[in-house]
């Protein structure tokens, strides 16, 4: 995505919202040329909405409809409309626990990014930190990537490696991964805002400005 200038972000999340908070803080410090224009959750009492309210950023619950892992058709349209009316340039998934496909991705083609708690393509899907611990890898990490039709399969924008320590539990490992996420997600958005992230097929490369 080669757009430069100040980006309007639409953040989607289902959980506590620590990545959203890291991004919002980086933006308000001026480290990221972006502002969070909208926060949307599929979970009515999600921490991310409470965080948004505390920061004075418009946050709202939109009912995801009848499915457990995706948005139903009406909900998909409601999410698209809400993001378009907030004039969002970039959709930032921050712990959004539903798969986005079809119309949604077509409406924001090349403008949806996600953070995943492993070094993709290792350990896609749920509880990636636990998958890594159970597998026995010595390093895992966090990945920022564009969202495509697959699961955690889009072009990689940034990764940070995190060691797996002998004494780690799923909780201690996840906490270390979160530290990495809170660094690379704002940094990736900053790079996108500067127009430095260029998509070349399956790869992204950096254009130094
Ligand atoms: C993060 O670990 C992210 O990698 C995953 O969901 C989690 C969201 O955490 N996709 P938070 O809501 O940002 O604290």
């Amino acid at each position: 995505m080669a757009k430069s200038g100040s980006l309007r972000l639409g953040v989607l999340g289902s959980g506590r919202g620590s990545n959203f908070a890291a991004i919002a803080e980086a933006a308000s410090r001026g480290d990221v040329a972006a502002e969070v224009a909208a926060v949307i959750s599929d979970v009515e009492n999600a921490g991310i909405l409470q965080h948004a309210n505390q920061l004075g950023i418009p946050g709202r619950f939109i009912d995801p409809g009848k499915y457990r892992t995706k948005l139903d058709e009406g909900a998909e349209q409601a999410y698209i409309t809400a993001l378009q009316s907030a004039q969002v340039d970039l959709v930032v998934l921050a712990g959004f626990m539903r798969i986005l496909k079809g119309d949604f991705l077509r409406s924001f083609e090349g403008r949806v990014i996600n953070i995943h708690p492993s070094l993709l393509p290792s350990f896609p899907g749920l509880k990636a930190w636990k998958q890594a611990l159970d597998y026995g890898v010595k390093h895992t990490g966090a990945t920022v990537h564009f969202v495509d039709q697959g699961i955690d399969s889009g072009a990689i924008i940034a990764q940070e490696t995190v060691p797996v320590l002998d004494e780690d539990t799923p909780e201690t490992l996840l906490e270390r991964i979160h530290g990495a996420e809170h660094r690379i997600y704002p940094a990736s958005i900053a790079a996108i805002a500067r127009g430095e992230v260029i998509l070349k097929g399956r790869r992204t490369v950096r254009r130094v400005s």
Side-chain angles (χ1 to χ4, degrees):
M1 181 176 174
K3 174 167 179 135
S4 58
S6 184
L7 290 182
R8 290 177 66 79
L9 310 178
V11 181
L12 266 52
S14 311
R16 60 181 196 147
S18 69
N19 279 285
F20 154 67
I23 293 162
E25 281 159 24
S28 72
R29 277 197 309 268
D31 293 347
V32 179
E35 66 174 299
V36 182
V39 175
I40 304 174
S41 183
D42 58 330
V43 176
E44 203 156 8
N45 55 359
I48 192 169
L49 292 179
Q50 289 158 23
H51 259 307
N53 285 341
Q54 282 158 10
L55 296 174
I57 293 170
R60 62 186 276 218
F61 161 72
I62 301 183
D63 192 331
K66 56 183 182 242
Y67 302 115
R68 207 171 45 85
T69 57
K70 60 179 187 176
L71 301 174
D72 75 16
E73 263 176 41
E76 187 178 51
Q77 287 311 317
Y79 276 71
I80 293 170
T81 303
L83 291 164
Q84 286 175 341
S85 13
Q87 298 179 298
V88 159
D89 300 304
L90 183 68
V91 179
V92 176
L93 306 184
F96 189 64
M97 299 304 287
R98 286 170 195 271
I99 297 159
L100 295 168
K101 292 182 170 267
D103 267 4
F104 189 96
L105 295 182
R106 275 190 291 278
S107 301
F108 301 99
E109 175 116 44
R111 296 189 291 139
V112 185
I113 62 173
N114 183 44
I115 183 132
H116 183 76
S118 76
L119 291 178
L120 289 170
S122 291
F123 312 124
L126 296 174
K127 297 195 175 171
W129 64 95
K130 190 163 181 305
Q131 293 185 50
L133 197 59
D134 291 347
Y135 193 94
V137 294
K138 298 300 181 194
H139 289 89
T140 183
T143 303
V144 179
H145 63 93
F146 285 109
V147 175
D148 65 9
Q149 298 278 347
I151 294 182
D152 303 322
S153 57
I156 291 171
I157 298 167
Q159 294 185 300
E160 185 175 320
T161 304
V162 159
V164 181
L165 306 180
D166 290 349
E167 60 276 18
D168 264 336
T169 62
E171 292 73 28
T172 58
L173 179 56
L174 180 58
E175 197 181 326
R176 197 172 308 116
I177 292 171
H178 274 140
E181 291 184 342
H182 300 164
R183 286 185 288 276
I184 62 170
Y185 218 2
S188 297
I189 295 167
I192 291 170
R194 291 192 300 267
E196 288 177 8
V197 178
I198 312 294
L199 188 56
K200 284 195 170 173
R202 250 221 70 83
R203 299 179 68 207
T204 68
V205 293
R206 295 298 172 103
R207 177 172 66 197
V208 180
S209 37

